[in-house]
Amino acid sequence: MKNTKELQTRQFSNTPIIILLVLMYVVVAMSDNFKGIFVPFFKDDFGINNTQIGYVLTAGFLAYAVFQYVGGIFIEKVGYKKVIVFGFIVGMASLILLITCKTYIILLIGLFGLNVGMAMFNVGVNTLGPVLTVASTAVLMNFVNFSYGASNTAIQKIAGNLLSKGIPWTQFYVFMLLFCGALLIYLLIIKIPYTPTSEKVQYQKKDLFRNKVLYLYIIALGFYLASEYGIGNWFVNYMGEEFNLDADNRAFYAALFFGLETVGRLFGGFIVDRLGAFKGMLLFGCAASFLSTVGILLGEAGLLIFSAAGLFYSIIYPTIITTAHGVFKEAASYVTGLMLMCGTLIAMVVNMLMGIGNDTIGVHYSYYSIAICIAITTIAVAVIKRKVGGFEGKERAG
């Protein structure tokens, strides 16, 4: 009885931290989706082509990749709060650059810096979330990612409507800057009493790099990110160039994809608890691969089918992160940063190739990369399931 009361007390005390994680992912969603929505406006305002847009996105991915790894190392050394505060400072400075941006080079620098800040947010969420004392880590992480999906849905629809009415894209970054300022004040007020496990338990990095499962996790996460980022960055452009849809219609399909992904994440933790982490990922991964492929194959008639795939993308990312924490335990912060860095580098390369592919083989054929990437993730998850054996049952029981 005493232990139950202590657990409930700890869970209640975690509420301010959970609110922080949820709101941080709202900011990350703004960062990830604004640049995708703004691609047509970037091209018009700065007179650039798809390949140059690819360079802008690549710079952002590079910052995201490297600084997630750096963030994982820093969390082990200075703790969660200082790393997240650093992310706010860099991110807000970069937003000021974007708001006053007049040239392509400043755009590139601003998005690079913004992604440095978002990298600190992402690694903070994905290392702090799984160590919180809660009844179900799977439910928590899917709920935190639900906030990302809910924000995606709202951003895609609201931004599309406002842009079609002539609101300048820079005004969206003004709102983001004000939101970040308020959230930074909140962060400085609350307490984060958790300490990374690596401060208490030593581990050998050479043993980690000998573990083949680590590389399978990197593949699974990397190609998932490549697929989802590809949708965030290129779906609007795909619909505009292939089917000449206006901003409002493009926003509808993008919002539908991310809206269904949001619904899936709202209930996804409970599905994972019932089916098991790996069975759930395999089921959803197969469905996502199938619907993505058919949706692209059918062209404009398949846009609804492609958007429906968002429901099945939902649980894959948070469940990969959650199971990795269970597999690697003491090295969880370092491994999470490493996975996010390598995974983002994979996503960076794929999205760069998509940008080049849009100008060479055409937007339609280039967009098949989305379906191929989610299929690779599903295959990698299947191999991980075979190698970790009984871990899944332990995770569900825990």
Side-chain angles (χ1 to χ4, degrees), residues 18-19 21-23 25 125 136-150 262 264-270 314 318:
I18 294 171
I19 292 171
L21 300 183
V22 167
L23 294 179
Y25 253 16
V125 170
S136 171
T137 302
V139 172
L140 170 64
M141 292 306 291
N142 272 279
F143 180 74
V144 171
N145 279 273
F146 158 77
S147 70
Y148 181 91
T262 301
R265 283 178 175 164
L266 181 60
F267 302 103
F270 302 101
S314 59

mmCIF file of all heavy atoms in Angstrom, residues 18-19 21-23 25 125 136-150 262 264-270 314 318:
data_model
loop_
_atom_site.group_PDB
_atom_site.id
_atom_site.type_symbol
_atom_site.label_atom_id
_atom_site.label_comp_id
_atom_site.label_asym_id
_atom_site.label_seq_id
_atom_site.Cartn_x
_atom_site.Cartn_y
_atom_site.Cartn_z
ATOM 1 N N ILE A 18 5.950 16.394 -17.606
ATOM 2 C CA ILE A 18 5.208 15.865 -18.758
ATOM 3 C C ILE A 18 4.625 17.005 -19.585
ATOM 4 O O ILE A 18 4.663 16.982 -20.821
ATOM 5 C CB ILE A 18 4.095 14.900 -18.283
ATOM 6 C CG1 ILE A 18 4.719 13.648 -17.652
ATOM 7 C CG2 ILE A 18 3.181 14.514 -19.446
ATOM 8 C CD1 ILE A 18 3.726 12.734 -16.972
ATOM 9 N N ILE A 19 4.102 18.040 -18.904
ATOM 10 C CA ILE A 19 3.594 19.224 -19.616
ATOM 11 C C ILE A 19 4.713 19.858 -20.432
ATOM 12 O O ILE A 19 4.517 20.253 -21.595
ATOM 13 C CB ILE A 19 2.994 20.241 -18.621
ATOM 14 C CG1 ILE A 19 1.715 19.669 -17.987
ATOM 15 C CG2 ILE A 19 2.703 21.573 -19.317
ATOM 16 C CD1 ILE A 19 1.170 20.504 -16.851
ATOM 17 N N LEU A 21 7.421 18.365 -21.661
ATOM 18 C CA LEU A 21 7.746 17.502 -22.799
ATOM 19 C C LEU A 21 6.717 17.661 -23.915
ATOM 20 O O LEU A 21 7.069 17.728 -25.099
ATOM 21 C CB LEU A 21 7.831 16.042 -22.355
ATOM 22 C CG LEU A 21 8.871 15.689 -21.286
ATOM 23 C CD1 LEU A 21 8.866 14.190 -21.018
ATOM 24 C CD2 LEU A 21 10.262 16.150 -21.697
ATOM 25 N N VAL A 22 5.446 17.716 -23.536
ATOM 26 C CA VAL A 22 4.375 17.869 -24.521
ATOM 27 C C VAL A 22 4.528 19.194 -25.282
ATOM 28 O O VAL A 22 4.468 19.232 -26.519
ATOM 29 C CB VAL A 22 2.997 17.791 -23.836
ATOM 30 C CG1 VAL A 22 1.894 18.259 -24.781
ATOM 31 C CG2 VAL A 22 2.712 16.366 -23.365
ATOM 32 N N LEU A 23 4.753 20.282 -24.547
ATOM 33 C CA LEU A 23 4.862 21.600 -25.188
ATOM 34 C C LEU A 23 6.147 21.733 -26.004
ATOM 35 O O LEU A 23 6.160 22.424 -27.037
ATOM 36 C CB LEU A 23 4.779 22.698 -24.129
ATOM 37 C CG LEU A 23 3.423 22.813 -23.419
ATOM 38 C CD1 LEU A 23 3.464 23.909 -22.368
ATOM 39 C CD2 LEU A 23 2.300 23.070 -24.419
ATOM 40 N N TYR A 25 7.422 19.342 -27.710
ATOM 41 C CA TYR A 25 7.148 18.673 -28.980
ATOM 42 C C TYR A 25 6.209 19.489 -29.860
ATOM 43 O O TYR A 25 6.198 19.328 -31.083
ATOM 44 C CB TYR A 25 6.613 17.264 -28.733
ATOM 45 C CG TYR A 25 7.630 16.194 -29.065
ATOM 46 C CD1 TYR A 25 8.972 16.510 -29.221
ATOM 47 C CD2 TYR A 25 7.248 14.871 -29.247
ATOM 48 C CE1 TYR A 25 9.910 15.545 -29.527
ATOM 49 C CE2 TYR A 25 8.187 13.897 -29.563
ATOM 50 C CZ TYR A 25 9.507 14.239 -29.708
ATOM 51 O OH TYR A 25 10.439 13.277 -30.025
ATOM 52 N N VAL A 125 13.566 15.186 -24.809
ATOM 53 C CA VAL A 125 12.290 14.478 -24.688
ATOM 54 C C VAL A 125 12.507 12.965 -24.680
ATOM 55 O O VAL A 125 11.943 12.236 -23.852
ATOM 56 C CB VAL A 125 11.334 14.868 -25.823
ATOM 57 C CG1 VAL A 125 10.115 13.944 -25.843
ATOM 58 C CG2 VAL A 125 10.883 16.314 -25.678
ATOM 59 N N SER A 136 2.826 3.369 -17.370
ATOM 60 C CA SER A 136 3.205 2.744 -18.639
ATOM 61 C C SER A 136 4.047 3.725 -19.458
ATOM 62 O O SER A 136 3.553 4.775 -19.866
ATOM 63 C CB SER A 136 1.971 2.336 -19.443
ATOM 64 O OG SER A 136 2.339 1.916 -20.744
ATOM 65 N N THR A 137 5.318 3.362 -19.682
ATOM 66 C CA THR A 137 6.190 4.203 -20.493
ATOM 67 C C THR A 137 5.690 4.291 -21.927
ATOM 68 O O THR A 137 5.771 5.347 -22.568
ATOM 69 C CB THR A 137 7.625 3.649 -20.480
ATOM 70 O OG1 THR A 137 8.087 3.596 -19.134
ATOM 71 C CG2 THR A 137 8.565 4.535 -21.275
ATOM 72 N N ALA A 138 5.153 3.176 -22.438
ATOM 73 C CA ALA A 138 4.645 3.163 -23.811
ATOM 74 C C ALA A 138 3.510 4.161 -23.981
ATOM 75 O O ALA A 138 3.444 4.903 -24.969
ATOM 76 C CB ALA A 138 4.176 1.757 -24.188
ATOM 77 N N VAL A 139 2.579 4.193 -23.015
ATOM 78 C CA VAL A 139 1.459 5.138 -23.083
ATOM 79 C C VAL A 139 1.977 6.571 -23.010
ATOM 80 O O VAL A 139 1.548 7.442 -23.770
ATOM 81 C CB VAL A 139 0.449 4.860 -21.951
ATOM 82 C CG1 VAL A 139 -0.606 5.971 -21.894
ATOM 83 C CG2 VAL A 139 -0.227 3.513 -22.162
ATOM 84 N N LEU A 140 2.936 6.830 -22.094
ATOM 85 C CA LEU A 140 3.485 8.177 -21.954
ATOM 86 C C LEU A 140 4.140 8.652 -23.243
ATOM 87 O O LEU A 140 3.853 9.751 -23.730
ATOM 88 C CB LEU A 140 4.504 8.222 -20.812
ATOM 89 C CG LEU A 140 5.316 9.525 -20.718
ATOM 90 C CD1 LEU A 140 4.405 10.705 -20.404
ATOM 91 C CD2 LEU A 140 6.434 9.406 -19.681
ATOM 92 N N MET A 141 5.040 7.833 -23.809
ATOM 93 C CA MET A 141 5.784 8.261 -24.983
ATOM 94 C C MET A 141 4.883 8.413 -26.205
ATOM 95 O O MET A 141 5.090 9.304 -27.034
ATOM 96 C CB MET A 141 6.929 7.296 -25.270
ATOM 97 C CG MET A 141 8.035 7.324 -24.210
ATOM 98 S SD MET A 141 8.698 8.994 -23.922
ATOM 99 C CE MET A 141 9.553 9.306 -25.467
ATOM 100 N N ASN A 142 3.871 7.557 -26.318
ATOM 101 C CA ASN A 142 2.922 7.728 -27.412
ATOM 102 C C ASN A 142 2.084 8.985 -27.204
ATOM 103 O O ASN A 142 1.749 9.679 -28.173
ATOM 104 C CB ASN A 142 2.018 6.497 -27.546
ATOM 105 C CG ASN A 142 2.619 5.441 -28.451
ATOM 106 O OD1 ASN A 142 2.531 5.528 -29.669
ATOM 107 N ND2 ASN A 142 3.272 4.456 -27.862
ATOM 108 N N PHE A 143 1.761 9.312 -25.935
ATOM 109 C CA PHE A 143 0.997 10.533 -25.675
ATOM 110 C C PHE A 143 1.833 11.773 -25.978
ATOM 111 O O PHE A 143 1.330 12.745 -26.546
ATOM 112 C CB PHE A 143 0.519 10.565 -24.225
ATOM 113 C CG PHE A 143 -0.264 11.803 -23.899
ATOM 114 C CD1 PHE A 143 -1.564 11.956 -24.354
ATOM 115 C CD2 PHE A 143 0.309 12.830 -23.162
ATOM 116 C CE1 PHE A 143 -2.290 13.106 -24.075
ATOM 117 C CE2 PHE A 143 -0.400 13.989 -22.877
ATOM 118 C CZ PHE A 143 -1.717 14.128 -23.337
ATOM 119 N N VAL A 144 3.118 11.745 -25.581
ATOM 120 C CA VAL A 144 4.002 12.872 -25.880
ATOM 121 C C VAL A 144 4.103 13.054 -27.394
ATOM 122 O O VAL A 144 4.038 14.168 -27.911
ATOM 123 C CB VAL A 144 5.394 12.661 -25.254
ATOM 124 C CG1 VAL A 144 6.379 13.719 -25.755
ATOM 125 C CG2 VAL A 144 5.312 12.730 -23.729
ATOM 126 N N ASN A 145 4.251 11.938 -28.108
ATOM 127 C CA ASN A 145 4.302 12.026 -29.571
ATOM 128 C C ASN A 145 2.944 12.386 -30.170
ATOM 129 O O ASN A 145 2.880 12.933 -31.279
ATOM 130 C CB ASN A 145 4.815 10.710 -30.153
ATOM 131 C CG ASN A 145 6.322 10.604 -30.089
ATOM 132 O OD1 ASN A 145 7.028 11.049 -30.982
ATOM 133 N ND2 ASN A 145 6.841 10.036 -28.993
ATOM 134 N N PHE A 146 1.862 12.091 -29.433
ATOM 135 C CA PHE A 146 0.530 12.537 -29.845
ATOM 136 C C PHE A 146 0.496 14.059 -29.937
ATOM 137 O O PHE A 146 -0.112 14.635 -30.850
ATOM 138 C CB PHE A 146 -0.511 12.034 -28.843
ATOM 139 C CG PHE A 146 -1.793 12.821 -28.841
ATOM 140 C CD1 PHE A 146 -2.736 12.652 -29.840
ATOM 141 C CD2 PHE A 146 -2.075 13.720 -27.819
ATOM 142 C CE1 PHE A 146 -3.926 13.375 -29.835
ATOM 143 C CE2 PHE A 146 -3.253 14.448 -27.804
ATOM 144 C CZ PHE A 146 -4.183 14.274 -28.809
ATOM 145 N N SER A 147 1.181 14.735 -28.999
ATOM 146 C CA SER A 147 1.217 16.200 -29.038
ATOM 147 C C SER A 147 1.902 16.692 -30.310
ATOM 148 O O SER A 147 1.520 17.722 -30.871
ATOM 149 C CB SER A 147 1.922 16.760 -27.800
ATOM 150 O OG SER A 147 3.314 16.494 -27.820
ATOM 151 N N TYR A 148 2.915 15.944 -30.756
ATOM 152 C CA TYR A 148 3.589 16.283 -32.015
ATOM 153 C C TYR A 148 2.618 16.125 -33.185
ATOM 154 O O TYR A 148 2.486 17.006 -34.037
ATOM 155 C CB TYR A 148 4.808 15.384 -32.195
ATOM 156 C CG TYR A 148 5.610 15.647 -33.450
ATOM 157 C CD1 TYR A 148 6.669 16.545 -33.435
ATOM 158 C CD2 TYR A 148 5.318 14.991 -34.647
ATOM 159 C CE1 TYR A 148 7.417 16.791 -34.578
ATOM 160 C CE2 TYR A 148 6.051 15.225 -35.798
ATOM 161 C CZ TYR A 148 7.098 16.128 -35.757
ATOM 162 O OH TYR A 148 7.827 16.375 -36.889
ATOM 163 N N GLY A 149 1.907 14.996 -33.199
ATOM 164 C CA GLY A 149 0.971 14.749 -34.290
ATOM 165 C C GLY A 149 -0.195 15.723 -34.290
ATOM 166 O O GLY A 149 -0.625 16.195 -35.351
ATOM 167 N N ALA A 150 -0.722 16.043 -33.094
ATOM 168 C CA ALA A 150 -1.829 16.993 -32.997
ATOM 169 C C ALA A 150 -1.391 18.366 -33.513
ATOM 170 O O ALA A 150 -2.135 19.051 -34.218
ATOM 171 C CB ALA A 150 -2.306 17.098 -31.550
ATOM 172 N N THR A 262 -2.017 11.361 -35.474
ATOM 173 C CA THR A 262 -2.311 11.831 -34.124
ATOM 174 C C THR A 262 -3.287 10.906 -33.408
ATOM 175 O O THR A 262 -3.095 10.556 -32.243
ATOM 176 C CB THR A 262 -2.908 13.258 -34.181
ATOM 177 O OG1 THR A 262 -1.970 14.115 -34.806
ATOM 178 C CG2 THR A 262 -3.235 13.774 -32.797
ATOM 179 N N GLY A 264 -3.775 7.785 -34.003
ATOM 180 C CA GLY A 264 -3.061 6.548 -33.710
ATOM 181 C C GLY A 264 -2.191 6.670 -32.469
ATOM 182 O O GLY A 264 -2.098 5.733 -31.666
ATOM 183 N N ARG A 265 -1.551 7.828 -32.287
ATOM 184 C CA ARG A 265 -0.688 8.008 -31.123
ATOM 185 C C ARG A 265 -1.484 8.202 -29.838
ATOM 186 O O ARG A 265 -1.007 7.878 -28.750
ATOM 187 C CB ARG A 265 0.269 9.170 -31.363
ATOM 188 C CG ARG A 265 1.397 8.763 -32.285
ATOM 189 C CD ARG A 265 2.371 9.865 -32.604
ATOM 190 N NE ARG A 265 3.475 9.322 -33.404
ATOM 191 C CZ ARG A 265 4.323 10.053 -34.093
ATOM 192 N NH1 ARG A 265 4.208 11.369 -34.101
ATOM 193 N NH2 ARG A 265 5.290 9.487 -34.791
ATOM 194 N N LEU A 266 -2.687 8.729 -29.952
ATOM 195 C CA LEU A 266 -3.508 8.913 -28.766
ATOM 196 C C LEU A 266 -3.821 7.567 -28.112
ATOM 197 O O LEU A 266 -3.817 7.438 -26.888
ATOM 198 C CB LEU A 266 -4.811 9.636 -29.136
ATOM 199 C CG LEU A 266 -5.782 9.923 -27.997
ATOM 200 C CD1 LEU A 266 -5.126 10.800 -26.931
ATOM 201 C CD2 LEU A 266 -7.041 10.593 -28.533
ATOM 202 N N PHE A 267 -4.096 6.560 -28.941
ATOM 203 C CA PHE A 267 -4.434 5.237 -28.421
ATOM 204 C C PHE A 267 -3.299 4.228 -28.586
ATOM 205 O O PHE A 267 -3.407 3.083 -28.136
ATOM 206 C CB PHE A 267 -5.684 4.702 -29.144
ATOM 207 C CG PHE A 267 -6.876 5.598 -29.020
ATOM 208 C CD1 PHE A 267 -7.276 6.409 -30.079
ATOM 209 C CD2 PHE A 267 -7.592 5.670 -27.835
ATOM 210 C CE1 PHE A 267 -8.371 7.254 -29.968
ATOM 211 C CE2 PHE A 267 -8.690 6.509 -27.711
ATOM 212 C CZ PHE A 267 -9.087 7.301 -28.780
ATOM 213 N N GLY A 268 -2.205 4.672 -29.222
ATOM 214 C CA GLY A 268 -1.144 3.738 -29.576
ATOM 215 C C GLY A 268 -0.483 3.043 -28.412
ATOM 216 O O GLY A 268 -0.131 1.861 -28.490
ATOM 217 N N GLY A 269 -0.290 3.758 -27.294
ATOM 218 C CA GLY A 269 0.349 3.139 -26.137
ATOM 219 C C GLY A 269 -0.430 1.959 -25.611
ATOM 220 O O GLY A 269 0.155 0.948 -25.200
ATOM 221 N N PHE A 270 -1.758 2.063 -25.626
ATOM 222 C CA PHE A 270 -2.600 0.960 -25.157
ATOM 223 C C PHE A 270 -2.524 -0.228 -26.121
ATOM 224 O O PHE A 270 -2.542 -1.388 -25.697
ATOM 225 C CB PHE A 270 -4.048 1.435 -25.005
ATOM 226 C CG PHE A 270 -4.200 2.599 -24.057
ATOM 227 C CD1 PHE A 270 -4.351 3.887 -24.543
ATOM 228 C CD2 PHE A 270 -4.151 2.398 -22.682
ATOM 229 C CE1 PHE A 270 -4.483 4.961 -23.672
ATOM 230 C CE2 PHE A 270 -4.279 3.466 -21.803
ATOM 231 C CZ PHE A 270 -4.438 4.757 -22.300
ATOM 232 N N SER A 314 1.835 5.926 -36.806
ATOM 233 C CA SER A 314 1.715 6.540 -35.492
ATOM 234 C C SER A 314 2.606 5.964 -34.397
ATOM 235 O O SER A 314 3.323 6.699 -33.712
ATOM 236 C CB SER A 314 0.252 6.493 -35.045
ATOM 237 O OG SER A 314 -0.216 5.153 -34.984
ATOM 238 N N PRO A 318 7.756 6.341 -31.446
ATOM 239 C CA PRO A 318 7.881 6.268 -29.979
ATOM 240 C C PRO A 318 8.184 4.872 -29.468
ATOM 241 O O PRO A 318 8.869 4.715 -28.440
ATOM 242 C CB PRO A 318 6.514 6.763 -29.476
ATOM 243 C CG PRO A 318 5.591 6.650 -30.637
ATOM 244 C CD PRO A 318 6.425 6.829 -31.861
#
